[in-house]
Amino acid sequence: MTSAMPVSYGTGSFVVAGKTYTHQRTAIVAASASPRSPRWSTVMIAGLSAEATRAVCERFAGGDGLGCEVAVFPRGGKVLRLALTLSGAGVATSGNGASGR
């Protein structure tokens, strides 16, 4: 399923649109079409630590990061909202995303 997401993962990091995030209090919410059926969608909520995952769930439920394909919640920063497309090689590239809040 991770190949369908516009995010790639490493040990203690993730990469979105060519930018690597490594701080343990950083988290991400990403949505994409389900790899099993394009009729359905898949949403992933993940942090680089348990604390980051819990905190992003609270922020996302409160309305932060809505209305975009990928929302990055960097440690101590504003939500970075991105609209991404997959290139022919399956690599996420940034679209007309906007940061905010």
Side-chain angles (χ1 to χ4, degrees):
M1 172 166 55
T2 57
S3 63
M5 287 290 171
V7 180
S8 61
Y9 295 91
T11 303
S13 67
F14 57 82
V15 178
V16 179
K19 182 167 180 172
T20 302
Y21 297 87
T22 59
H23 195 280
Q24 66 182 0
R25 292 183 64 195
T26 297
I28 188 166
V29 176
S32 71
S34 171
R36 294 187 180 184
S37 173
R39 279 184 48 197
W40 304 99
S41 60
T42 302
V43 177
M44 174 191 57
I45 300 173
L48 295 178
S49 67
E51 179 184 3
T53 303
R54 181 193 52 77
V56 77
C57 289
E58 291 175 2
R59 288 184 67 183
F60 189 67
D64 274 352
L66 297 178
C68 60
E69 189 176 4
V70 176
V72 179
F73 294 78
R75 176 198 156 264
K78 293 182 178 183
V79 178
L80 176 61
R81 298 178 188 152
L82 302 169
L84 303 176
T85 57
L86 290 178
S87 69
V91 176
T93 56
S94 183
N96 292 327
S99 62
R101 284 199 200 201

